[in-house]
Every structure is written in structure tokens, then in C-alpha cells.
Amino acid sequence: QVQLVESGGGLVQAGGSLRLSCAASGPPSSNYVMGWFRQAPGKEREFIAAVTRSGGSTYYADSVKGRFTVSRDNARNTVSLQMNSLKPEDTGVYYCACAADSSSYVTIAHTTTRGYGYWGQGTQVTVSS
């Protein structure tokens, strides 16, 4: 069973940057699309970004496009989310997720929580004004 552990969250001032990392349990996770989601208090979990198993294709939510960058290192079974120009509305718990299928492409399913079968525990990101 795949296990995911996020790290790198913290408190940052608006306009600042943070880099989140997600460590996977083993090589099988390298075969799947990986995604990042976030959840603010009182709101549903929302899609942030996804990356293919090759790392060659990425997809971003409009709210973070141009500010966030997702990447992966399959040799180390890690996926990262570089967050720049952070805004207070970026505040929330950020989750790493592994897709439920072995698709080589990011599909509409990967922009929803239903497209993922494994989740980390989350890491808190707080952006002050």
C-alpha cells in the first residue's frame, strides 16, 4: 500500500514562498499521476496541481497558475510543490495524493478527489497579510 507524507508547510508573509515535499512509500507510486490539493477551514478540498509519472506534463488550477510549480523525482519517489507569490487565500492544509489508476495523462478525473486512491496526512500552510 502506498503511503504519502507531506512536509514543508509553515507560516509565511504574503508575497513569500514555500516549497512542499511529498515522500512516497515505494517505487509503485512513480507509475501514477500525482496531485496536490488544499483545504481551507469550512471549505471543500480543492485541486491545485497534477503531474504525470514522467514529470513531462503538468496541470494547474487557474487560481495558482503562474505562481505554483509541481515537479517530481521518481528516483527518490518524491513530488514537490513550489509556491511563490503566496496570498492569504492560499492558506489551508495541503495534501499530496497518488492517482487511483496508471494513466500516463492528466485527465479530468485527476482534477477531483475521486481520481486519487492514496492521500497524505497534510501539511499546514498559513499566509499572513
Side-chain angles (χ1 to χ4, degrees):
Q1 182 174 319
V2 175
Q3 290 187 313
L4 307 172
V5 180
E6 303 94 338
S7 63
L11 175 64
V12 65
Q13 190 173 357
S17 299
L18 282 175
R19 185 177 179 85
L20 306 183
S21 294
C22 174
S25 62
S29 64
S30 297
N31 297 325
Y32 302 92
V33 170
M34 300 290 290
W36 284 97
F37 290 74
R38 70 185 178 195
Q39 188 167 22
K43 295 186 176 182
E44 66 181 3
R45 194 169 299 185
E46 67 171 321
F47 169 78
I48 298 300
V51 59
T52 59
R53 58 188 179 187
S54 69
S57 295
T58 57
Y59 189 83
Y60 299 91
D62 289 341
S63 61
V64 305
K65 191 175 298 181
R67 299 188 298 121
F68 291 11
T69 303
V70 64
S71 61
R72 67 191 299 169
D73 183 342
N74 290 337
R76 295 187 295 178
N77 292 325
T78 60
V79 60
S80 299
L81 184 70
Q82 178 66 44
M83 306 185 295
N84 299 325
S85 301
L86 284 162
K87 306 174 181 179
E89 50 262 46
D90 292 319
T91 294
V93 178
Y94 282 68
Y95 298 90
C96 177
C98 180
D101 58 46
S102 60
S103 176
S104 298
Y105 312 97
V106 175
T107 70
I108 189 67
H110 297 126
T111 67
T112 71
T113 58
R114 293 172 294 159
Y116 298 84
Y118 302 94
W119 296 84
Q121 293 298 305
T123 185
Q124 177 70 43
V125 172
T126 303
V127 184
S128 63
S129 60

